[in-house]
Amino acid sequence: MKEIKVSSEFKSQTTKAILAINLFVLTYVIMLALAVGLTVLCVYGGIMLIVSFPRFITLALGLGLASLGVLVSFFLLKFIFKSHKADRSHLVEINRKNEPELFKLIEDIVKEVGTDFPKKVYLSPDVNAAVFYDSNFWSMFFPVKKNLQIGLGLVNIVSKSELKAILSHEFGHFSQKTMKVGSYVYNVNQIIFNLLFDNETYDKFIQKWANSSGYFAIFVLVAIKIIEGIKWILKQIYGLVNKSYMGLLREMEFHADEIAANVTGYEPLKSSLLRLSLADHSFNNVLSFYDKKIVENQKSENIFRDHLFVTNFLAKDHNIEIINNLPQISEKELNKFNKSKLVIKDQWASHPSTEDRIAMLEKTGLSTKIIDNESANLIFSDIEQTQRELTIKVFKNVVYAAESSAITFEVFQTSFKEEFIKNTFPKVYNGYYDNKNPLFFEINSIEHGEVNSKLKELFSDSKVELVYTALSLQSDIESVKQISEKTFDIKTFDYDGIKYSKDDCKGLLQQLEKEYEILNENIKSNDIEIFKYFKSQETKANKEYLLENLFTEFINFEKEFDSNYDVYIQLSNDLQFVNYTTSIEQIRVNFLDVEQLEKKLSKGINALLENQNYQSELTAEIKENFELYLSKKWHYFGNEKYFDKNLEILFSAMNNYAFLLSRGYFLVKQKLLNYQVELIDTTYTAKAEYKEEF
């Protein structure tokens, strides 16, 4: 393979990352030197105080003074005594004997890229592949061999050529000398994290020291103030180090992509990148499905077979072409629902966007006609057995109430389809309502004349595009507002191909809000036409007023939803203090505020229990939790400690309340939309039109 030259941007980002690390090292050395100097002075002062005035009080003050410097110095050095062990319990190590064809593929790539063979190769359940290494404090100074992790969730949804391209990308990272910079940044982050956040043991120690004597407490307070200053400095450096490193990581991705394109051509990597989002979404859908099955003590036989089924099922639902059991996603389909014109360079992103990566891949011009479209699963010696082994690991730590049993693949397919239909809107709507609700309008103000609109027009691709353009525009408006209010630290950005600064936000916002208003008017007009259309079908079917009732029911629910859901939001915010160190007096005051909100929560839960719309969603587990919560007044703190079991009951009640409210929102909307479809099915003209167009 020809030598690939790094770009000027790559060199620039490498320099920035190295300078940021050097700044940290310099700052840390200065702070440590000052801390050591302070320790020497404090210890010397403490000894002199005790020697000069040998009394009990001077002994206590001398020890306290000496401890001041020691506490500050130990704070800066405590990370050395902290060990970081990577959790590999979810991984399965493989070797050449287990997987000869895979190791032959790895060997070929290693030779072509011109890098080292990995120290170890692991399989994981993830829809991902990655390079990692055993990094510790000393790895900054000594060479470390890298490991390769291959996700079976990824292997499951790529072809042989695509897997080769992905692994070539990962070995591109193996060949990058800047991975050493990554080791430095990783350890710098570990040090700063330890100093800023991993302080529980240290805090307990200094609290115990302060409580042992009032004299010591004075010096502990001084030490805490100094440490707070150190933390403030470290936070500034943490941001600088990570921002520069994120920039380098993005350039490393582009560079590794180019290496992959040199090995396989750019097409296999491009097609796998386009499929990755759907595959990841599908895997999460499968995991979510089995989360709900925990109460039934059920798990998967082979989660990867389930995953491939769901990936193709969702692809078919979106009319995506499937070849060799793999969805073929185009760039147009990837951006189908993203109509944003706002371009902001995300300085904190570790990876470039898929669109940017594809654009850079195509720029290489490294095309190929030799593509193996067979499933990458066929590379493995016994993929079924390997998948089952990883499936066991996925469910290993799940706690079941009784002995668990595996769902057969046939049962999974049926159950998933039923669950999907139960939680989606009819296809006739073409995704129009997937992310929008029927807009409010006065029914009495509508003129019920002759309806000329057809279903195809009301839910056409152009009408759906209006909805997603409005959603993207709404998101853009919020982002520009945050830039204007300096919530985002951004100097310039692009909108619709034009560069803007923070000072231009006000004028741009006025323009965007006007566009948004016009879009919403067009969508509202279409919603009125939709209502009129189904009203006319209802009239033909002699089902007067039910449509109006269902529409009114939905609008009323929507109006009340925010105030009901706000109880959950307020409680969640007001209970944040239980996650932090809080004074006993403040804890008691906080729970008095929580008590008032709990009255609203109890009232809301009772309303849900009495509402017939929620009976089908009230599982035995939720009902049991609600009844337990409502059975008495719970206390969450006493004898200077939290009552964890009582808090768990409260949090479960809150989460179940929020879930049912959200579920209710969907069900009321679904009831309206399903009724409209029933009108199509019961009206001859509309039924014929429905069959012809959909």
Side-chain angles (χ1 to χ4, degrees):
M1 188 181 77
K2 69 174 185 178
E3 185 180 349
I4 298 172
K5 293 181 179 179
V6 297
S7 66
S8 57
E9 183 65 18
F10 190 110
K11 292 176 182 176
S12 172
Q13 293 296 344
T14 304
T15 303
K16 287 178 182 177
I18 292 169
L19 287 173
I21 292 167
N22 287 334
L23 175 63
F24 165 76
V25 172
L26 178 63
T27 306
Y28 179 79
V29 168
I30 290 171
M31 288 193 298
L32 184 60
L34 291 172
V36 170
L38 177 66
T39 303
V40 171
L41 286 173
C42 288
V43 170
Y44 177 77
I47 292 170
M48 292 305 295
L49 182 63
I50 295 166
V51 170
S52 302
F53 306 97
R55 300 187 188 93
F56 175 78
I57 189 171
T58 53
L59 176 64
L61 289 170
L63 285 172
L65 180 60
S67 71
L68 166 60
V70 172
L71 289 173
V72 174
S73 292
F74 182 69
F75 174 80
L76 285 167
L77 292 168
K78 65 186 175 73
F79 71 88
I80 295 173
F81 307 100
K82 185 77 174 179
S83 60
H84 299 278
K85 291 184 179 179
D87 179 19
R88 298 184 190 177
S89 59
H90 65 297
L91 303 178
V92 172
E93 185 180 350
I94 55 173
N95 54 44
R96 192 183 300 273
K97 185 179 177 182
N98 303 136
E99 301 293 348
E101 192 176 341
L102 177 62
F103 271 71
K104 176 68 169 60
L105 174 64
I106 293 171
E107 199 168 60
D108 291 344
I109 296 170
V110 164
K111 286 178 182 175
E112 194 160 357
V113 173
T115 188
D116 298 325
F117 202 88
K119 180 183 177 183
K120 291 183 179 180
V121 180
Y122 294 96
L123 296 180
S124 75
D126 307 326
V127 186
N128 192 20
V131 174
F132 71 97
Y133 43 83
D134 302 307
S135 189
N136 54 46
F137 179 73
W138 302 110
S139 66
M140 293 193 287
F141 310 103
F142 300 104
V144 178
K145 288 206 76 174
K146 305 173 188 77
N147 304 304
L148 177 65
Q149 178 184 322
I150 304 170
L152 275 194
L154 175 70
V155 174
N156 209 27
I157 52 86
V158 295
S159 67
K160 287 183 177 180
S161 285
E162 288 169 343
L163 181 62
K164 185 176 181 180
I166 291 164
L167 294 182
S168 299
H169 169 95
E170 296 307 326
F171 283 110
H173 288 311
F174 268 61
S175 67
Q176 290 170 335
K177 293 178 181 177
T178 43
M179 285 292 284
K180 188 67 177 175
V181 179
S183 178
Y184 282 114
V185 175
Y186 174 83
N187 283 288
V188 164
N189 280 343
Q190 287 294 323
I191 292 168
I192 297 176
F193 180 86
N194 178 273
L195 295 174
L196 289 177
F197 308 111
D198 194 2
N199 292 310
E200 187 177 352
T201 305
Y202 180 81
D203 288 344
K204 284 181 180 177
F205 170 75
I206 61 171
Q207 188 66 50
K208 192 174 180 181
W209 180 254
N211 291 340
S212 62
S213 170
Y215 299 113
F216 295 169
I218 299 167
F219 297 101
V220 168
L221 285 172
V222 176
I224 288 171
K225 289 295 179 185
I226 294 171
I227 289 167
E228 284 175 358
I230 292 171
K231 284 182 178 180
W232 183 87
I233 294 168
L234 289 172
K235 279 180 183 176
Q236 314 313 308
I237 295 175
Y238 183 76
L240 183 65
V241 169
N242 277 282
K243 191 183 289 185
S244 59
Y245 184 52
M246 291 301 111
L248 175 59
L249 282 179
R250 293 192 294 273
E251 290 304 315
M252 287 168 69
E253 289 300 311
F254 286 135
H255 185 252
D257 282 350
E258 189 175 352
I259 289 171
N262 272 270
V263 175
T264 64
Y266 73 78
E267 292 93 342
L269 189 58
K270 174 185 173 180
S271 56
S272 62
L273 284 170
L274 287 167
R275 195 180 303 119
L276 204 57
S277 179
L278 171 62
D280 195 47
H281 175 67
S282 301
F283 195 70
N284 287 329
N285 265 276
V286 175
L287 292 176
S288 178
F289 174 88
Y290 283 109
D291 274 345
K292 295 170 188 172
K293 295 295 179 183
I294 292 174
V295 293
E296 299 173 38
N297 303 308
Q298 293 180 326
K299 59 186 179 182
S300 174
E301 268 187 339
N302 182 341
I303 201 167
F304 303 100
R305 185 168 53 180
D306 300 342
H307 171 222
L308 186 59
F309 164 75
V310 171
T311 302
N312 286 326
F313 177 83
L314 295 179
K316 287 174 187 173
D317 186 65
H318 286 86
N319 301 315
I320 294 170
E321 184 183 14
I322 297 171
I323 300 174
N324 292 328
N325 216 24
L326 295 175
Q328 306 300 308
I329 299 172
S330 67
E331 289 171 79
K332 183 181 178 182
E333 284 159 337
L334 182 70
N335 295 306
K336 185 177 179 181
F337 301 123
N338 181 14
K339 307 298 178 185
S340 175
K341 298 177 183 178
L342 182 65
V343 179
I344 299 172
K345 186 177 179 182
D346 186 355
Q347 300 175 83
W348 295 100
S350 62
H351 283 61
S353 67
T354 299
E355 294 84 352
D356 287 346
R357 288 179 70 180
I358 288 171
M360 292 295 282
L361 275 169
E362 290 177 337
K363 273 186 182 180
T364 65
L366 297 165
S367 185
T368 183
K369 292 181 180 178
I370 306 169
I371 296 177
D372 189 342
N373 287 317
E374 280 194 311
S375 170
N377 281 329
L378 298 175
I379 293 172
F380 287 76
S381 300
D382 188 346
I383 189 62
E384 178 76 18
Q385 178 58 35
T386 304
Q387 288 177 339
R388 285 175 181 271
E389 188 179 346
L390 264 293
T391 298
I392 290 169
K393 279 196 170 284
V394 169
F395 290 92
K396 184 180 178 182
N397 295 320
V398 178
V399 179
Y400 295 99
E403 187 177 348
S404 60
S405 60
I407 299 174
T408 64
F409 181 53
E410 292 71 24
V411 171
F412 171 79
Q413 290 178 86
T414 304
S415 299
F416 184 86
K417 286 177 184 176
E418 289 172 356
E419 189 78 16
F420 182 82
I421 292 166
K422 182 183 172 184
N423 291 289
T424 52
F425 302 123
K427 292 280 288 178
V428 66
Y429 296 117
N430 195 26
Y432 185 80
Y433 291 111
D434 285 359
N435 290 287
K436 82 170 280 293
N437 295 323
L439 296 180
F440 171 74
F441 52 84
E442 292 290 347
I443 294 174
N444 297 332
S445 65
I446 298 172
E447 294 180 9
H448 297 288
E450 187 179 344
V451 178
N452 297 315
S453 301
K454 292 185 176 182
L455 277 175
K456 188 174 182 179
E457 296 166 359
L458 296 170
F459 302 111
S460 65
D461 288 346
S462 61
K463 298 297 184 185
V464 174
E465 190 169 332
L466 270 181
V467 171
Y468 284 96
T469 302
L471 288 170
S472 295
L473 188 53
Q474 185 180 25
S475 176
D476 288 350
I477 288 168
E478 288 305 311
S479 295
V480 174
K481 279 181 181 176
Q482 289 181 314
I483 294 169
S484 178
E485 294 163 1
K486 300 180 180 178
T487 306
F488 290 164
D489 184 20
I490 292 166
K491 294 178 182 177
T492 62
F493 60 93
D494 289 354
Y495 191 86
D496 201 13
I498 300 171
K499 189 170 283 295
Y500 292 88
S501 68
K502 276 190 278 195
D503 296 335
D504 302 321
C505 287
K506 188 176 179 181
L508 179 61
L509 278 171
Q510 290 175 348
Q511 174 194 325
L512 298 185
E513 283 167 353
K514 189 174 181 180
E515 288 178 20
Y516 182 65
E517 188 180 334
I518 293 168
L519 266 174
N520 261 355
E521 283 301 317
N522 290 334
I523 293 168
K524 185 175 180 179
S525 296
N526 193 57
D527 276 18
I528 292 170
E529 289 302 312
I530 290 168
F531 182 85
K532 286 167 68 176
Y533 175 87
F534 284 111
K535 183 64 182 172
S536 70
Q537 302 306 317
E538 187 182 53
T539 302
K540 291 173 186 176
N542 296 316
K543 291 186 177 182
E544 289 286 343
Y545 305 122
L546 187 54
L547 179 65
E548 290 183 20
N549 292 341
L550 290 174
F551 180 80
T552 304
E553 181 186 7
F554 173 76
I555 294 301
N556 289 338
F557 186 96
E558 189 176 37
K559 286 177 182 176
E560 295 170 3
F561 178 82
D562 285 344
S563 61
N564 291 333
Y565 199 83
D566 196 48
V567 174
Y568 167 76
I569 298 295
Q570 286 184 50
L571 265 173
S572 298
N573 291 335
D574 285 5
L575 283 164
Q576 285 296 315
F577 70 90
V578 301
N579 299 312
Y580 305 102
T581 303
T582 311
S583 68
I584 291 170
E585 191 55 43
Q586 188 60 51
I587 289 171
R588 293 194 178 104
V589 171
N590 291 345
F591 274 123
L592 286 175
D593 295 335
V594 167
E595 191 177 324
Q596 297 305 310
L597 285 169
E598 279 195 273
K599 292 176 183 176
K600 293 182 180 179
L601 177 64
S602 297
K603 184 180 177 182
I605 289 172
N606 277 313
L608 293 179
L609 289 170
E610 292 167 9
N611 193 322
Q612 290 302 310
N613 290 331
Y614 293 98
Q615 296 309 306
S616 62
E617 304 300 318
L618 271 170
T619 64
E621 188 180 18
I622 292 175
K623 196 170 183 180
E624 184 183 347
N625 168 245
F626 279 168
E627 288 172 351
L628 179 61
Y629 174 71
L630 294 171
S631 66
K632 58 183 282 189
K633 181 180 178 182
W634 296 93
H635 298 281
Y636 308 109
F637 186 78
N639 299 322
E640 300 186 4
K641 66 177 183 179
Y642 290 114
F643 301 146
D644 291 333
K645 287 186 178 179
N646 294 1
L647 278 170
E648 190 178 328
I649 293 167
L650 170 61
F651 285 125
S652 293
M654 287 166 54
N655 292 331
N656 288 330
Y657 172 75
F659 164 74
L660 282 177
L661 273 180
S662 300
R663 186 67 185 156
Y665 205 142
F666 173 83
L667 291 173
V668 174
K669 179 177 173 181
Q670 189 185 52
K671 186 161 68 168
L672 168 63
L673 299 184
N674 284 350
Y675 174 71
Q676 291 178 166
V677 172
E678 286 175 24
L679 294 175
I680 299 170
D681 290 338
T682 56
T683 308
Y684 176 79
T685 307
K687 191 174 181 181
E689 181 190 334
Y690 172 74
K691 284 185 174 179
E692 179 189 342
E693 295 173 358
F694 297 95

